[in-house]
Amino acid sequence: MIKYLYKGGGTHMFIGRERDLAALNRLYTSGKFEFAVIYGRRRVGKTALISEFIKDKKSIYFMGVESNEKQNLENFSKNIIEYGSGIVADTSFASFQSALEYVFKLGESERLVLAIDEYPYVARASESLASTLQMLIDKYKDDSKLMLILCGSSMSYMEDHVLAYKAPLYGRRTAQMKILPFDFEDTCNYLKAFSDMDKALLYGMVGGTPQYLLQIRSDLSVEENIKNTFLNPTSSLFEEPENLLKQEVREPALYNAIITAIATGYSRLSEISTKVGENTGTCSTYLKNLISLGLVEKENPYGEANSKKSIYKIADNLFRFWYRFVPENSSIIARGATDLAYSRIESHLSEYMGLVFEEICRQYLWKLLLTGECPVEFSELGRWWGNDQRTRSQSEIDIMGEADKNTALFGECKWTNEKVDLGVLETLVARSQLFHYPRTYLYLFSKSGFTKGCIDEAQKIGNVKLVTFEDIMEVLGRKS
């Protein structure tokens, strides 16, 4: 379901988020005091979700700004006045405590939503705010009809200062919601105007972040969209990754270098530190920060939680695409040689899409599991890599998941223009035998189909499922 909001002559699109909206509405209809914590990366659609939720409800919405306590208190006071509370318009509350107490008292006589957006900005400028909220919640919660929402983009702040055990507000919340980018299925729902193949390419380039999807024009081809956004110095996406980093970190230069290293194939800590010219201790600290921002993920081989074989990957497709292709072409982009820059990108697109396709295949398997159509009831999926003792070489499995000690699935994903042949299936069979599960199910995923030899052998083996990109789209891509 896609909804359109029209405000002030512009079009604000509200996409998906049905489950999140339903969860907020369930809290709202309880009629008693509720306290929801909403957090997630910038641009992911938290404010749009809150706006959609409160649009037909009695509510006070307050957006914190990166300023001092006085400025935020004045803004908050104005929002309370706008609600129609009858206070003289040019007055300001003397403190956050008196402003909040006023709102809590309003909530005694009517159902009212108070949403404080970008809460970390306000709380950093007003050190006693969390303790004040704690005191007022404890004082009013039994008789209040207030629904309090605290929302923030600084994930580390929200986790450490709002949700953590030692935080003043710990134990007061009645719900918490981590807002994630859309998965491929929801993204397809937004990219309806494009072909299935183009939906995958666009998901690979901008991911599922609503703010980025809004930059994609349905009247342009994928090539034209790349030129219009990534290769156009005046577009809002052209400097987005660097601008977002500047908002979040104090030393963007080294963060930029680390993300670029990962995007161009340096995935182990030792490789990254060599590439950027810093010691592993420094890089490790910076990587932890990038992980807390939701931009980088640390990955271990499946089933090896404390492995020394950890690798790092970029979690967000827009960042992966941008850092893979824009910095190395920045000089020719600046000179306006858009066609030349695009031709350099296009020759690597198929290789770039490999990891994106793996992620789409994992989402396909999760969907099968949730609809009861997967023969293996796994609890997680991951990649595996390590030594093959038989060949004394490094080996890798794209997708692996186990139901129990007896049953597992193994998958191989190929995003190429050639049909997948028998050799790929034989390799998957051999690699699945590195593990000793009595029952195994093999999934071979292909963008372009399979050769006759591969199809015949799969039928002979019996525990093999051959899945084309078309099959995946039947499950994930055609939601009405």
Side-chain angles (χ1 to χ4, degrees):
M1 183 171 67
I2 299 178
K3 299 174 185 172
Y4 298 86
L5 304 181
Y6 296 94
K7 293 179 185 169
T11 308
H12 293 255
M13 199 174 291
F14 183 77
I15 316 163
R17 302 285 183 221
E18 290 94 342
R19 266 201 313 239
D20 298 321
L21 261 182
L24 287 172
N25 278 310
R26 269 197 305 276
L27 293 174
Y28 183 80
T29 53
S30 77
K32 60 184 201 301
F33 174 77
E34 299 286 0
F35 170 22
V37 177
I38 298 176
Y39 66 116
R41 276 187 38 214
R42 288 183 196 282
R43 318 282 195 265
V44 86
K46 303 180 298 299
T47 301
L49 171 66
I50 293 169
S51 301
E52 178 72 2
F53 168 64
I54 65 176
K55 69 176 184 182
D56 54 356
K57 299 175 177 66
K58 289 185 173 180
S59 58
I60 297 168
Y61 172 82
F62 164 50
M63 165 78 82
V65 291
E66 205 166 3
S67 181
N68 61 9
E69 182 172 15
K70 183 173 184 292
Q71 177 72 64
N72 274 305
L73 180 57
E74 281 176 11
N75 293 351
F76 187 33
S77 299
K78 278 182 192 145
N79 294 138
I80 296 171
I81 292 157
E82 276 170 21
Y83 175 67
S85 53
I87 303 174
V88 181
D90 59 356
T91 61
S92 187
F93 285 93
S95 65
F96 268 109
Q97 180 165 337
S98 58
L100 286 163
E101 183 124 31
Y102 184 87
V103 176
F104 270 84
K105 281 195 172 127
L106 279 178
E108 284 186 315
S109 56
E110 60 183 4
R111 189 53 158 167
L112 175 65
V113 181
L114 169 61
I116 302 179
D117 203 347
E118 292 303 353
Y119 170 77
Y121 287 157
V122 194
R124 282 190 188 115
S126 173
E127 285 182 18
S128 60
L129 182 61
S131 302
T132 301
L133 274 169
Q134 175 196 346
M135 180 267 290
L136 291 170
I137 289 168
D138 292 348
K139 180 178 174 182
Y140 286 97
K141 66 177 188 296
D142 295 334
D143 305 306
S144 180
K145 298 184 184 71
L146 183 70
M147 178 170 173
L148 172 65
I149 297 173
L150 296 188
C151 179
S153 299
S154 173
M155 295 212 285
S156 55
Y157 189 95
M158 297 300 284
E159 286 167 352
D160 296 343
H161 297 275
V162 180
L163 300 171
Y165 180 68
K166 290 182 179 171
L169 291 169
Y170 179 80
R172 270 84 183 166
R173 70 183 181 277
T174 54
Q176 69 186 62
M177 299 166 70
K178 185 174 184 178
I179 308 299
L180 299 168
F182 292 140
D183 59 16
F184 182 55
E185 183 174 13
D186 278 330
T187 302
C188 285
N189 201 27
Y190 172 65
L191 298 172
K192 282 180 175 169
F194 293 92
S195 71
D196 287 350
M197 209 62 80
D198 286 352
K199 286 172 187 167
L201 287 167
L202 289 165
Y203 178 67
M205 285 184 287
V206 296
T209 301
Q211 194 65 42
Y212 304 155
L213 285 167
L214 289 172
Q215 310 307 313
I216 298 300
R217 283 177 47 182
S218 57
D219 59 330
L220 300 180
S221 66
V222 170
E223 177 181 340
E224 288 165 335
N225 268 299
I226 291 176
K227 289 176 178 176
N228 191 46
T229 52
F230 292 98
L231 308 182
N232 171 11
T234 64
S235 89
S236 63
L237 286 188
F238 183 72
E239 292 183 332
E240 167 68 10
E242 288 186 324
N243 286 341
L244 199 135
L245 267 187
K246 281 175 193 162
Q247 285 179 300
E248 297 284 3
V249 300
R250 282 194 293 275
E251 301 165 60
L254 184 51
Y255 285 102
N256 267 319
I258 288 171
I259 300 175
T260 303
I262 300 170
T264 49
Y266 301 86
S267 56
R268 295 178 190 275
L269 180 58
S270 57
E271 296 170 351
I272 295 164
S273 68
T274 303
K275 178 68 178 166
V276 302
E278 290 284 349
N279 65 52
T280 53
T282 301
C283 285
S284 185
T285 303
Y286 278 64
L287 283 162
K288 279 196 185 95
N289 292 340
L290 287 168
I291 290 167
S292 75
L293 291 173
L295 298 178
V296 166
E297 282 175 1
K298 186 177 184 180
E299 197 179 10
N300 289 315
Y302 184 90
E304 300 177 30
N306 301 312
S307 172
K308 289 181 179 169
K309 296 183 282 192
S310 301
I311 61 170
Y312 294 88
K313 66 176 186 181
I314 297 174
D316 179 88
N317 284 350
L318 178 107
F319 274 68
R320 237 185 102 229
F321 187 85
W322 194 95
Y323 279 98
R324 170 69 183 82
F325 295 117
V326 174
E328 68 179 35
N329 290 304
S330 56
S331 299
I332 56 175
I333 295 167
R335 285 174 173 75
T338 311
D339 291 343
L340 175 59
Y342 178 76
S343 68
R344 289 185 177 183
I345 291 171
E346 188 186 29
S347 59
H348 296 285
L349 263 184
S350 195
E351 160 217 331
Y352 169 84
M353 283 296 294
L355 281 179
V356 178
F357 187 48
E358 281 180 30
E359 177 53 36
I360 290 171
C361 294
R362 277 193 284 272
Q363 291 181 25
Y364 166 84
L365 288 169
W366 276 108
K367 183 77 176 187
L368 291 189
L369 179 78
L370 297 175
T371 53
E373 297 168 76
C374 187
V376 179
E377 291 193 359
F378 56 83
S379 52
E380 61 173 322
L381 291 174
R383 287 198 295 149
W384 179 87
W385 59 94
N387 287 316
D388 183 340
Q389 299 295 339
R390 301 167 308 185
T391 59
R392 301 196 174 181
S393 64
Q394 283 292 302
S395 194
E396 199 174 300
I397 297 168
D398 290 343
I399 298 177
M400 180 177 169
E402 67 168 28
D404 49 46
K405 295 296 169 205
N406 297 314
T407 314
L409 69 78
F410 299 90
E412 180 73 20
C413 313
K414 294 291 180 192
W415 185 268
T416 60
N417 291 327
E418 295 78 45
K419 290 185 173 183
V420 169
D421 64 16
L422 178 57
V424 177
L425 175 55
E426 289 172 340
T427 302
L428 180 60
V429 169
R431 287 177 181 171
S432 72
Q433 289 164 355
L434 290 168
F435 302 84
H436 303 290
Y437 293 97
R439 276 190 304 281
T440 58
Y441 293 83
L442 307 182
Y443 279 81
L444 212 48
F445 297 95
S446 168
K447 171 191 173 188
S448 309
F450 305 89
T451 63
K452 186 176 185 307
C454 184
I455 294 167
D456 292 345
E457 183 64 17
Q459 285 173 338
K460 204 157 69 179
I461 297 172
N463 63 340
V464 180
K465 291 241 193 314
L466 302 181
V467 184
T468 63
F469 179 59
E470 224 169 74
D471 298 330
I472 291 171
M473 293 307 288
E474 286 298 332
V475 171
L476 294 182
R478 305 219 170 89
K479 196 167 110 179
S480 60

